[in-house]
Amino acid sequence: MSERRVRVRFAPSPTGALHIGGVRTALFNYLFARQHGGDFVFRIEDTDSNRFVPGAEEYIIESFRWLGLKFDEGVSFGGKYGPYRQSERREIYKEYVTRLLDAGKAYIAFDTPEELDMKRQEIQNFQYDATTRSLMRNSLTMSKADVDALIEDGNQYVVRFKVEPGEEIHVNDLIRGDVVIKSDILDDKVLYKSADELPTYHLANIVDDHLMEITHVIRGEEWLPSAPLHVLLYRAFGWEDTMPRFAHLPLLLKPDGKGKLSKRDGDRLGFPVFPLEWHDPKTGEVSNGFREQGYFPEAVLNFLALLGWNPGTEQELFTLDELVKQFDISKCSKAGARFDFQKAIWFNHEYILNKSDDEIAELFAPIVAGNGVEESMARVRQVVHMMKDRVNFVRELWPLCSFFFVPPIEYDEKTTRKRWKADSPQVMNELAEVLEGIEDFSIENQERVVMAWVESKGYKLGDVMNAFRLTLVGEGKGPGMFDITAFLGKEETLTRMRRAIEVLSADAAAQ
Ligand code: GLU
């Protein structure tokens, strides 16, 4: 077989918001495609009309736009293998269903849901397969004339795949190795339903992977049970030679305890499991998104890349390009990957540190303006420079930094009780005078002069600084005092000090 151009696909069903596990699957497909110079295809698997949710497709596209994962072809991107939406490929699937029927690899079955239910009650662990199909109403047990007559009369039917018993099926998985399964345990899966003239997932998935020349199927572990049937379908069509290689990615597990990560875990522990906020059109429920929570898309991708894969080194921070170079599908783990959302927060923090002050200032400036403060970008950047290492998200900056821009109106009670002593008004008045006399208001010079004054007076440095902080910030937080005063400037510093002395002395007198 000649080397085929690598082609992978991400093939979600538009049944709601894209789960973060789906994003991880798409990312691994993307990395694989890029590192092999191949194509990354976006297919919509919407043959189950009962589960279709309006807006889901647009949501998925918007998610990848935000994340910066680009598809080469597919729904909304075009390409020569289209259409890429399965609901637009009905006629194609019909042709392939007919092929299987003509070759005797599939058969028509008329059993109604009620009849199937009855059989289930009659026979323990009933499954439609080689041992039971002879008891059912299908084209294997009925004459061709009867079958034709039933169809003619408008009876609904399904087409089932005829699984031959006694075979060993090998799924050759890039992560799990040779997975062997006995065909006897498989049931004769429905491939097509006359009622809506649509194929089921299994048939459409295989036909499309074949026609779209997909070379590698990289998807979540939950699809592993379908893989043996898929292998049989490739064989039934005679497509063994171009059967894609499989890679079933490990499950994402709850941050705590056992089992698969679910939306409920996110609600319970307070983290998103969707890339973007999702408004459920049926229930009206709004679910949190990584974007709206203030995560950087690069941080989300970096975090997801290490769920089920690791480079075998200590490195944790990767650009997308580095991931493309280093990612190795065969090194993915078989065991589930714990979804440690604290780690996601850590990644976002690291990305804040790695971004320039300018980049963060660009994001913070609108928040400052939104709080009614007019400040130059240079001043916003100055605050960002002092404070960005203290936050995990840009949105955390304002509550932490607002005092730079807005003078305190109130003074935190607890801090005041602790830090504002009987002699504080007098000491602060003296300090204000000292500061007023400083010509060069640089951080270094202020520090030198103030320290000398504290020493000459025999004051306790801690007491002075704590009271000083209270006058400028209104509470006990913030960076170094002279970082604050240098930013505020002499005039604003003195105004704040004098006001605090007045208010706090009046408060003390009233008590
Ligand atoms: N439509 C399936 C899904 O929703 C695709 C599974 C596969 O990749 O084969 O994930």
Side-chain angles (χ1 to χ4, degrees), residues 9 11-13 43 45 201 205 209 217-219 223 230:
R9 84 301 194 267
S13 300
R43 185 169 78 218
E45 303 209 325
Y201 153 73
N205 188 269
D209 281 350
V217 166
I218 302 169
R219 61 185 173 189
W223 301 100
H230 294 181

Side-chain angles (χ1 to χ4, degrees), residues 1 5 24 53 65 68 101 114 152 195 216 218 225 229 243 249 254 278 311 328 352 365 372 444 478-479 482 493:
M1 194 172 79
R5 179 182 174 82
R24 197 265 320 247
V53 173
R65 205 196 52 76
L101 284 171
E114 295 76 31
E152 192 85 343
H216 296 81
I218 302 169
L229 170 67
M243 182 161 74
L249 304 174
K254 290 182 192 309
W278 167 249
D328 183 347
I352 287 200
E444 299 72 27
F482 300 113
T493 299

Side-chain angles (χ1 to χ4, degrees), residues 162-170 180-185 232 235:
K162 192 168 168 230
V163 177
E164 303 297 346
E167 279 186 47
E168 272 196 347
I169 310 164
H170 292 257
V180 190
I181 221 175
K182 292 207 163 60
S183 66
D184 306 60
I185 68 163
L232 289 182
R235 268 202 239 155

